[in-house]
Amino acid sequence: MPSPIPADDLRAAVDPVRAWLAGEAEQPPRAVVGAAVKTSARWLAQQVPGRSVELRVPPHVAVQFVDGPRHTRGTPPNVVETDAATWLRLATGALSWGEAVAEGKVSASGNRADLGRHLPLSPLRS
């Protein structure tokens, strides 16, 4: 089992991409964006343990979380998929879940795939 991610580590991983997310800077190197995505997705998974929903942010990370029926093979019934910038905007509160879904920036399937109540991530709220 991985070590818990402290809130300070989460903020340290995401802070370098905030200017890019706000449109005030060019996209940071892939490794910086990847670290922000992985750390934030894994932080959410540790806060909402379980295996009934899979969050996919290709090519950076896929994590399972949310209590409920466990999924082990094939495509899970509850999947959320988005790109790195959208995920990070959701995680920081720069974009709401409802807006992201309405604008087609998030693909969410399954009755447990609504992440609106878990976002933004509390340590990242602006």
Side-chain angles (χ1 to χ4, degrees):
M1 179 175 213
S3 300
I5 300 166
D8 287 343
D9 290 358
L10 171 61
R11 284 188 287 272
V14 173
D15 282 349
V17 301
R18 285 188 183 264
W20 168 59
L21 296 173
E24 300 166 355
E26 292 197 20
Q27 182 171 342
R30 180 179 170 160
V32 173
V33 173
V37 169
K38 289 174 192 170
T39 303
S40 57
R42 290 175 180 158
W43 189 88
L44 176 59
Q46 83 183 13
Q47 301 306 307
V48 188
R51 293 182 118 354
S52 69
V53 176
E54 184 167 290
L55 169 65
R56 298 174 181 168
V57 186
H60 303 290
V61 73
V63 295
Q64 291 183 346
F65 59 108
V66 180
D67 194 29
R70 181 180 175 155
H71 175 78
T72 58
R73 297 185 67 164
T75 301
N78 300 287
V79 176
V80 174
E81 188 165 343
T82 191
D83 62 275
T86 300
W87 166 250
L88 292 168
R89 287 184 180 109
L90 287 165
T92 60
L95 178 66
S96 76
W97 177 256
E99 291 169 326
V101 171
E103 294 171 10
K105 294 181 177 185
V106 169
S107 169
S109 62
N111 61 354
R112 295 174 180 264
D114 183 342
L115 302 185
R117 66 186 175 144
H118 304 295
L119 299 167
L121 303 182
S122 56
L124 299 179
R125 287 188 179 126
S126 308

